[in-house]
Amino acid sequence: MVPALPSSPRVRVATVPHADPYVDAVLPPDAVRVGPAHDPSPWLDPAYLTAHAARVDVVHVHSGFGHLPEDEVVCWTEAVRRTGTPLVVTVHQLRDPGRPGRRRHDAHLAALMATAEVVLTLTPGAADEIAERFGRTAIVVAHPSVARADPDGGAERGLVGLALGTAGAARPDRAALVRAALSGAVSGGGRLRVYVEPGEHLPPDPDLAIAEGLEVVTRDPARWDRQLQELHVAVLPERCGTHSRDLEVCRDVGTRVVAPSCGWFADQWSDVVVYGDDEECGLDPVSLTAAVGAALTRPMPRPADRAWRAGQLAAVRAVHAQVYEQVVADRVVGV
């Protein structure tokens, strides 16, 4: 028989990061999120965790650990085991797009998943990769809704969007990416809108300087969901990575997605058009041009059904609540 849980039925959870759209969405309504809301999270400091472990029932790591050296993550997981703090890990990225190589992120994931009592991820493909590479069985939970279509907004048929990201994280073929997307947009009877970060510009290229059907717009983080809603087609530019928040926003607001062949984007939403791009083979510009043209021939998807999304969110929160309850119960049994 499982001993009684602590007197408070509300599970105290320290999430890392403390808050972001996904973390906010999946946290069960009965859970109590424990701060502080600092970035980077102090809960990733072994000394802080050791001093404050009694304040929480569960630590749930989603992201926010990429800045730490490998040995510091290992040291932190040792503190997790030493304090008996239940650890839950959601694997959003099996490859950190912000890093030139995968060794550091792999070491982080290996340490976290070797310590976690429960591992979650967002797609069956990612779960299979986790089992193969790390020997852990991951619970698959869908990525819930993180945006809502603006009823006063609308999409422009034929408008293709491509966000280049920061120049500091520049891929070597940014100009080729723009040229291929532009070719697909124009051949499909549309035009291309390239989103650049504030203060940045298109990659230098003589062909792009005189190209027709191309416009450059500054990406507005505060309005990014609305900017995506204005598009018929959104091109995800990732050459590595696993899952995408922007893809879910597009599903929510009714924008078709052209996604790269790397990662598990097509698992995340089956109604995408895939083009060739990954770290091993690089960008296949012909396939990107064809994918954009094909996406423009398809009707714009309707915004996600809100009742379906609400039911999905309730199910995802229920899974998280069950996981938290179980690891807390296991902790009581082990005391």
Side-chain angles (χ1 to χ4, degrees):
M1 181 176 179
V2 177
L5 296 181
S7 57
S8 173
R10 306 190 70 187
V11 177
R12 301 166 300 171
V13 184
T15 61
V16 182
H18 180 75
D20 78 1
Y22 182 92
V23 172
D24 297 344
V26 303
L27 193 70
D30 288 338
V32 177
R33 181 158 35 188
V34 179
H38 296 165
D39 185 24
S41 174
W43 288 102
L44 292 176
D45 177 356
Y48 186 92
L49 173 68
T50 300
H52 298 88
R55 293 181 53 203
V56 295
D57 301 305
V58 182
V59 173
H60 190 159
V61 173
H62 293 265
S63 60
F65 50 83
H67 64 289
L68 294 173
E70 298 164 29
D71 59 343
E72 289 191 20
V73 174
V74 172
C75 180
W76 182 77
T77 59
E78 290 172 350
V80 170
R81 291 192 292 270
R82 186 170 59 251
T83 58
T85 305
L87 174 64
V88 176
V89 172
T90 295
V91 180
H92 294 265
Q93 300 291 356
L94 280 157
R95 169 70 172 87
D96 184 352
R99 293 281 173 181
R102 64 185 312 151
R103 182 184 62 82
R104 180 188 179 106
H105 192 63
D106 282 356
H108 287 166
L109 291 178
L112 290 169
M113 284 195 270
T115 306
E117 296 191 33
V118 176
V119 176
L120 302 99
T121 193
L122 310 183
T123 56
D128 290 342
E129 186 175 343
I130 288 167
E132 180 180 350
R133 290 175 52 199
F134 299 100
R136 290 298 306 263
T137 298
I139 299 172
V140 177
V141 290
H143 194 306
S145 174
V146 289
R148 185 181 291 268
D150 180 359
D152 297 323
E156 177 184 331
R157 181 168 293 278
L159 180 58
V160 179
L162 168 65
L164 282 181
T166 62
R171 48 189 293 156
D173 53 358
R174 295 171 88 216
L177 186 74
V178 176
R179 288 196 302 269
L182 175 62
S183 177
V186 173
S187 65
R191 61 192 181 93
L192 178 67
R193 176 179 291 171
V194 176
Y195 294 96
V196 297
E197 297 302 307
E200 298 194 353
H201 308 279
L202 276 179
D205 183 277
D207 294 332
L208 297 179
I210 59 173
E212 296 184 2
L214 173 65
E215 67 171 323
V216 181
V217 173
T218 299
R219 191 181 80 88
D220 182 354
R223 294 188 62 255
W224 183 230
D225 295 357
R226 298 294 174 260
Q227 288 180 315
L228 287 173
Q229 185 176 340
E230 296 167 357
L231 306 174
H232 183 166
V233 173
V235 178
L236 299 185
E238 290 87 342
R239 73 180 314 163
C240 64
T242 309
H243 304 116
S244 169
R245 177 184 178 271
D246 283 355
L247 184 150
E248 293 297 334
V249 172
C250 289
R251 191 207 302 239
D252 283 329
V253 302
T255 298
R256 188 161 299 286
V257 171
V258 170
S261 53
C262 61
W264 299 104
F265 304 112
D267 257 22
Q268 195 174 338
W269 184 22
S270 60
D271 194 19
V272 302
V273 182
V274 176
Y275 70 96
D277 196 6
D278 57 43
E279 289 182 285
E280 183 176 345
C281 299
L283 172 67
D284 178 356
V286 174
S287 74
L288 176 53
T289 296
V292 171
L296 286 174
T297 66
R298 300 186 185 183
M300 289 180 283
R302 295 178 61 82
D305 180 79
R306 298 314 305 173
W308 172 74
R309 277 300 221 180
Q312 181 190 58
L313 175 59
V316 170
R317 286 177 171 172
V319 170
H320 282 75
Q322 292 165 7
V323 166
Y324 295 160
E325 291 168 5
Q326 184 57 56
V327 297
V328 170
D330 291 345
R331 183 187 197 184
V332 172
V333 170
V335 172

